[in-house]
Amino acid sequence: MLSKKQARAFFLGGTLVTFLIFIGLTVYSLSGEQDQTNEENLTAEVVRGKEIWEANNCMGCHTLLGEGGYYAPELTKVIDRLNFKYNGNAEGVIKGILMSEVPWQPNGRQMVAYGMSEEEATDVIAFFNWIGKIDLNGFGEVVGVNRKISPLAKDKINN
């Protein structure tokens, strides 16, 4: 059993050590070598694409980097997935969907017809290209999922 003085010393020592570890990990995480944000590739088109994404509340249905709605497909690596599926023509497919004047309805789910201009669609594609290049630390492999191709799409492709 610890005396009151020993318990206080143990608590203060543990708190100090934990605080120093926290500060050390914070400095390490914020150091330049650990940057995984792909910030150096930000362009005006990417920023406009993000603004269009937000203005149209795309996250209400779609997921991006694990955040958002689960009604529609995850779009973090959408360019890679669609390039694989459509023989390198992902940008054309996405542009067609975003510029369509009629609702797009894959698998029984209906996507709003945004009727975007070509410039707006190009900006959204630039945003998707940029976000797809963010280093995810191998997240897909850790959880046993290939992030470039969903398990459901992989089954359809292989059959």
Side-chain angles (χ1 to χ4, degrees):
M1 188 86 176
L2 296 175
S3 70
K4 194 172 188 178
K5 186 176 181 178
Q6 289 173 324
R8 183 179 302 139
F10 183 76
F11 171 76
L12 292 175
T15 302
L16 179 65
V17 168
T18 304
F19 178 73
L20 291 175
I21 290 171
F22 174 75
I23 294 298
L25 289 174
T26 301
V27 169
Y28 175 75
S29 296
L30 296 175
S31 67
E33 299 88 38
Q34 302 308 314
D35 185 22
Q36 297 173 304
T37 61
N38 195 20
E39 184 179 6
E40 66 277 1
N41 295 325
L42 266 178
T43 63
E45 293 82 15
V46 172
V47 172
R48 284 194 306 267
K50 171 71 164 132
E51 290 169 352
I52 292 167
W53 170 268
E54 290 173 350
N56 288 296
N57 190 28
C58 298
M59 244 177 188
C61 297
H62 292 279
T63 307
L64 198 59
L65 295 171
E67 297 291 326
Y70 292 101
Y71 178 75
E74 213 282 342
L75 297 180
T76 302
K77 299 278 188 184
V78 67
I79 300 289
D80 293 339
R81 284 195 319 268
L82 292 181
N83 272 334
F84 181 80
K85 186 174 182 178
Y86 294 106
N87 300 319
N89 195 27
E91 293 185 12
V93 171
I94 294 170
K95 193 176 280 190
I97 293 167
L98 295 175
M99 293 174 63
S100 175
E101 296 293 332
V102 295
W104 189 61
Q105 191 169 348
N107 303 324
R109 294 181 178 180
Q110 193 169 20
M111 180 170 157
V112 176
Y114 287 106
M116 291 184 185
S117 68
E118 186 163 350
E119 182 183 4
E120 290 172 323
T122 302
D123 291 343
V124 172
I125 290 168
F127 173 62
F128 288 154
N129 271 316
W130 178 81
I131 206 137
K133 302 284 188 269
I134 292 175
D135 182 2
L136 299 178
N137 262 350
F139 175 71
E141 290 75 25
V142 171
V143 295
V145 177
N146 181 339
R147 281 296 192 213
K148 292 185 180 179
I149 305 167
S150 76
L152 297 175
K154 192 181 280 187
D155 288 344
K156 287 182 183 178
I157 291 169
N158 291 334
N159 290 334

